[in-house]
Amino acid sequence: MYILFKSIDIIGFKSIGNAHVDLDNCGIVKIKGINNLEDKTDSNGSGKSSIFESIIWALYGKTSKGVSNVVNVHSDTGCMVTLELFIDDVKYRVSRFSSHEKFGSGLSVIKYQDEEEYDLSGRNKTDTDKILQEIIGINMDLFLSIIFLSQGFNNRITGLGPSGRKSRIESLSGISDKVEKFKSDLSNRHSMYSTKERTLSNEVSNIKGQISVTERNINDFSNKIKKCNESVIYTDEQKKLIKSKYESFKSKFDQLNTSITNINFKLRELNNDKLMKTSQLSKINSDICDLRNQIKSLECEGICPVCGSEINTDKINELQEKYTDEIDLLYNDKHEAEDRIKNLNSSIKSYSDKLNLLKSKVSEVRKSYDTYKSKYEESINDSSKELSIYQKSLDKEKVNIVNLNSDLKTKESEDESLLEKIGIIDNCSKIVTKKFRDYLLNQIIQFINSRLEEYSKLLFSDKDSVIKISDKLVISINNIEYESLSGGEERKVDLALSLTQRDLALNISGIISNIFILDEVLDNLDEVATTSALDMISSVSTEISSLFIISHNTYDIAYDNEIVIIKNQDGISEIASN
């Protein structure tokens, strides 16, 4: 993928007021700053870095240091950055704005193709950001690694731990994508085989079920054939006698069952009547008890049980006599109920005895009835005809079970083969997450070291000074780890690693860009080292058409262009010349 940055227009970004910068075919460009707002500074805070930080903000919505609030506090226009670029010869215009006086806050992505203009913006800023990232094809981490080296190498690979370095290399080389694609292919194949295996497993289970049913049918037909072969052949006279006996015992058996049913019905009626009379007797006893209590209350308290007022002796005697008469009547009802219950108990016992007797007779008759019923059914069956039918059915089921067993063997073999393939895929998935990834990483490290060896020859006069990265991702020069190097040596290593990352992105991932931005990354180098570094960049990065160097220092280097950023007394930075 070739990313060609064409130009950028800036309004109200950080300290910048209004600026336009061409980005393509600019050669080596020196970025100089002058701060007229603060007396004690020279170029610090003038806005040199802001020109190029706006590129990052336009693409990713934040600066190299992760700042998203970039509106110039000294301007009332708000912020808008418009970036024109080409990706694989297709032109795009990206406009990001924040608190803008006209557009507010948001993002716009326009595509130009075949002399037509297409607005690719989504429904909202979040959707548009996703669309933009898909178009760019590289994340901010990679952008800062291979295009924009910011102050102090904030995103340098040497500033990462071993796991971070591994992640960076895998991302640049596309190892993660390759491994994930391989894993995805394996997962899809695993899913396909698993679906087939589940289908086959269900088919095997279904065939086994059919075999089980068929085996039962074979056993059943075999028993019926055996029974037919063992069955007795009766004469017509014997059949008549058996039929007569059978019908006689059946009639007795049915009559007895009918009588038992009738007696059971009668017993239910008697028991229900008894239950009703028992309930009535309980009510009578309760009423007698209540009346006695009322009489007792009259004798003791002289209070009317109806109205609760005091009454005289005559009234008491009158009520006591009344209650006594009611009690007498209730006793009559009680005696009648008790007599009825007694009679019902007698009837229940009588019917129960009859029922037990009938059940005993039924038991006796059943034996003879079952015997003659079996003989009768046997006598009316045509054993020879049934035998022929059963034999044909048995032969058919035997053929069926042979076919089913053959199908089962085939399906089980296919299922076993699929399970073996699934097992192989599972093993491959385990291997790919470690061994395959390690193999690819080892190949990439070899590539990196070959490039670092070339850059070391250009950066160091000592032929023995070679930058290397070990299998454990430790960075060193002549076995001296990066953390023990001098500041100048560290900068040389960071430059070499940055160019190596560009080479990796170019050769492995196919990512090429026309610009390279060095934001104060050469300031720790002396003039000779700076010249060597720039010569190295120019000689090995032929695809770069614009090299922007932001620095506080003045180097005796042949620049093709110069951009001067001046911060005025009002706090707003402008481009003085281009």
Side-chain angles (χ1 to χ4, degrees):
M1 178 177 65
Y2 182 48
I3 306 175
L4 187 149
F5 293 91
K6 191 67 177 174
S7 66
I8 189 162
D9 289 279
I10 309 166
I11 298 174
F13 178 85
K14 299 186 76 174
S15 64
I16 305 297
N18 196 310
H20 171 84
V21 179
D22 291 321
L23 301 173
D24 189 31
N25 290 319
C26 299
I28 299 177
V29 183
K30 176 182 178 181
I31 311 298
K32 179 181 178 182
I34 300 173
N35 192 339
N36 292 328
L37 179 63
E38 300 179 28
D39 296 334
K40 294 183 179 181
T41 62
D42 182 12
S43 64
N44 281 332
S46 60
K48 302 188 302 298
S49 299
S50 298
I51 293 290
F52 301 98
E53 288 281 2
S54 67
I55 298 175
I56 304 171
W57 184 75
L59 294 175
Y60 300 102
K62 55 186 176 182
T63 67
S64 65
K65 296 180 180 179
V67 178
S68 55
N69 184 11
V70 296
V71 179
N72 190 328
V73 296
H74 300 289
S75 173
D76 57 1
T77 61
C79 172
M80 182 169 74
V81 175
T82 299
L83 176 66
E84 286 196 359
L85 68 160
F86 288 80
I87 298 179
D88 293 334
D89 296 327
V90 178
K91 181 180 177 182
Y92 295 90
R93 186 179 75 237
V94 177
S95 299
R96 192 181 293 271
F97 26 90
S98 178
S99 303
H100 191 270
E101 58 184 353
K102 181 178 180 181
F103 302 110
S105 297
L107 175 65
S108 169
V109 179
I110 304 297
K111 175 182 178 180
Y112 299 89
Q113 194 169 24
D114 300 328
E115 299 182 356
E116 294 288 338
E117 181 178 310
Y118 303 93
D119 189 347
L120 305 182
S121 305
R123 295 174 299 178
N124 50 47
K125 179 178 171 294
T126 300
D127 287 346
T128 308
D129 258 317
K130 289 180 180 178
I131 294 168
L132 177 58
Q133 299 316 307
E134 290 176 0
I135 294 171
I136 299 171
I138 59 172
N139 58 34
M140 181 173 167
D141 186 53
L142 293 184
F143 185 92
L144 294 175
S145 299
I146 63 178
I147 295 176
F148 189 148
L149 304 189
S150 61
Q151 298 180 30
F153 285 95
N154 291 327
N155 205 49
R156 68 193 190 282
I157 193 171
T158 52
L160 304 173
S163 62
R165 292 171 184 175
K166 180 180 178 182
S167 177
R168 171 72 61 77
I169 292 172
E170 288 182 344
S171 180
L172 279 168
S173 61
I175 288 177
S176 296
D177 292 338
K178 290 178 177 66
V179 171
E180 289 304 316
K181 184 179 185 303
F182 190 26
K183 286 171 66 177
S184 177
D185 291 342
L186 287 175
S187 178
N188 292 335
R189 193 171 290 271
H190 187 285
S191 178
M192 178 183 70
Y193 286 149
S194 294
T195 300
K196 289 183 177 179
E197 194 280 325
R198 284 194 297 271
T199 302
L200 270 175
S201 181
N202 289 333
E203 290 177 357
V204 166
S205 179
N206 184 45
I207 291 172
K208 286 182 177 179
Q210 292 180 52
I211 288 174
S212 179
V213 171
T214 304
E215 287 175 342
R216 287 198 298 270
N217 289 340
I218 288 173
N219 186 59
D220 184 42
F221 288 132
S222 296
N223 289 333
K224 288 180 177 179
I225 289 171
K226 182 179 178 182
K227 188 175 180 181
C228 285
N229 288 328
E230 293 175 351
S231 62
V232 180
I233 306 300
Y234 296 98
T235 63
D236 290 340
E237 288 297 325
Q238 288 175 324
K239 289 181 180 180
K240 289 179 182 180
L241 179 61
I242 290 170
K243 181 179 179 182
S244 174
K245 291 285 187 180
Y246 163 69
E247 290 177 347
S248 174
F249 282 115
K250 183 178 185 304
S251 176
K252 289 179 182 180
F253 185 72
D254 291 342
Q255 288 174 5
L256 287 171
N257 279 324
T258 301
S259 297
I260 288 172
T261 301
N262 293 336
I263 290 174
N264 279 326
F265 180 76
K266 186 63 178 179
L267 280 171
R268 283 196 295 274
E269 286 185 339
L270 292 171
N271 281 315
N272 289 336
D273 196 5
K274 177 184 175 181
L275 182 62
M276 187 185 301
K277 287 299 179 183
T278 301
S279 176
Q280 181 183 355
L281 180 60
S282 177
K283 176 68 170 55
I284 291 169
N285 286 330
S286 177
D287 291 344
I288 290 172
C289 183
D290 289 342
L291 289 170
R292 284 177 175 171
N293 288 336
Q294 290 181 17
I295 291 172
K296 187 175 180 181
S297 176
L298 287 170
E299 292 174 349
C300 298
E301 301 174 2
I303 302 299
C304 178
V306 178
C307 64
S309 61
E310 294 184 2
I311 55 177
N312 55 35
T313 303
D314 293 338
K315 185 64 174 177
I316 289 172
N317 292 333
E318 180 184 344
L319 288 173
Q320 285 179 336
E321 183 178 351
K322 175 185 176 186
Y323 293 155
T324 300
D325 291 341
E326 290 179 1
I327 289 172
D328 291 339
L329 292 173
L330 287 172
Y331 266 109
N332 291 332
D333 293 340
K334 178 181 178 180
H335 295 319
E336 288 180 3
E338 289 174 341
D339 290 342
R340 178 59 179 163
I341 290 171
K342 184 177 180 180
N343 292 333
L344 287 169
N345 283 333
S346 177
S347 297
I348 289 170
K349 185 178 182 307
S350 175
Y351 278 107
S352 295
D353 291 342
K354 290 180 181 179
L355 181 62
N356 291 332
L357 181 60
L358 286 171
K359 286 182 177 180
S360 178
K361 288 182 178 180
V362 164
S363 180
E364 294 175 2
V365 172
R366 179 185 290 277
K367 294 178 183 179
S368 299
Y369 168 68
D370 288 342
T371 299
Y372 280 98
K373 179 183 179 184
S374 177
K375 288 184 177 183
Y376 175 71
E377 290 175 348
E378 194 176 63
S379 68
I380 63 175
N381 289 330
D382 188 345
S383 299
S384 60
K385 184 177 180 181
E386 286 185 350
L387 182 61
S388 176
I389 294 172
Y390 294 152
Q391 188 62 55
K392 288 180 181 179
S393 299
L394 178 62
D395 293 342
K396 181 180 178 182
E397 293 297 341
K398 285 182 176 180
V399 171
N400 189 29
I401 201 167
V402 169
N403 293 332
L404 287 171
N405 280 317
S406 176
D407 289 345
L408 178 63
K409 186 176 180 180
T410 302
K411 297 293 183 183
E412 285 181 333
S413 177
E414 292 177 6
D415 189 50
E416 185 178 346
S417 176
L418 283 173
L419 287 172
E420 183 179 353
K421 290 179 180 178
I422 290 170
I424 292 171
I425 290 173
D426 287 337
N427 288 332
C428 286
S429 296
K430 292 177 183 178
I431 292 171
V432 77
T433 56
K434 178 63 179 172
K435 294 184 178 179
F436 182 53
R437 184 184 291 270
D438 290 346
Y439 169 78
L440 292 176
L441 182 62
N442 183 59
Q443 297 300 307
I444 296 302
I445 289 175
Q446 289 183 32
F447 172 83
I448 290 174
N449 282 326
S450 68
R451 302 303 295 158
L452 288 175
E453 184 176 358
E454 292 184 23
Y455 293 141
S456 297
K457 293 176 183 177
L458 297 172
L459 286 171
F460 300 104
S461 57
D462 183 2
K463 294 181 179 180
D464 294 330
S465 296
V466 179
I467 306 167
K468 288 189 68 176
I469 182 167
S470 71
D471 293 341
K472 295 183 178 180
L473 302 173
V474 175
I475 300 169
S476 64
I477 301 177
N478 298 335
N479 296 322
I480 301 174
E481 294 187 11
Y482 175 86
E483 290 74 16
S484 299
L485 299 175
S486 66
E489 288 175 324
E490 287 182 350
R491 284 303 168 107
K492 290 179 181 180
V493 171
D494 286 329
L495 275 172
L497 284 169
S498 177
L499 289 174
T500 301
Q501 289 179 87
R502 287 178 61 88
D503 293 339
L504 194 58
L506 173 61
N507 287 276
I508 305 297
S509 302
I511 301 172
I512 311 171
S513 175
N514 65 318
I515 67 171
F516 196 27
I517 304 163
L518 303 179
D519 186 0
E520 300 181 16
V521 298
L522 304 176
D523 287 1
N524 276 7
L525 301 178
D526 58 28
E527 188 168 332
V528 174
T530 301
T531 302
S532 297
L534 291 175
D535 287 344
M536 178 188 68
I537 294 171
S538 299
S539 63
V540 301
S541 303
T542 55
E543 80 281 357
I544 297 173
S545 68
S546 299
L547 174 61
F548 297 94
I549 302 175
I550 304 170
S551 177
H552 297 297
N553 300 333
T554 301
Y555 302 113
D556 187 15
I557 299 172
Y559 294 105
D560 296 299
N561 290 289
E562 182 180 76
I563 297 177
V564 179
I565 310 297
I566 300 176
K567 178 177 279 189
N568 299 317
Q569 295 293 330
D570 57 3
I572 298 177
S573 300
E574 304 286 348
I575 295 178
S577 61
N578 189 355

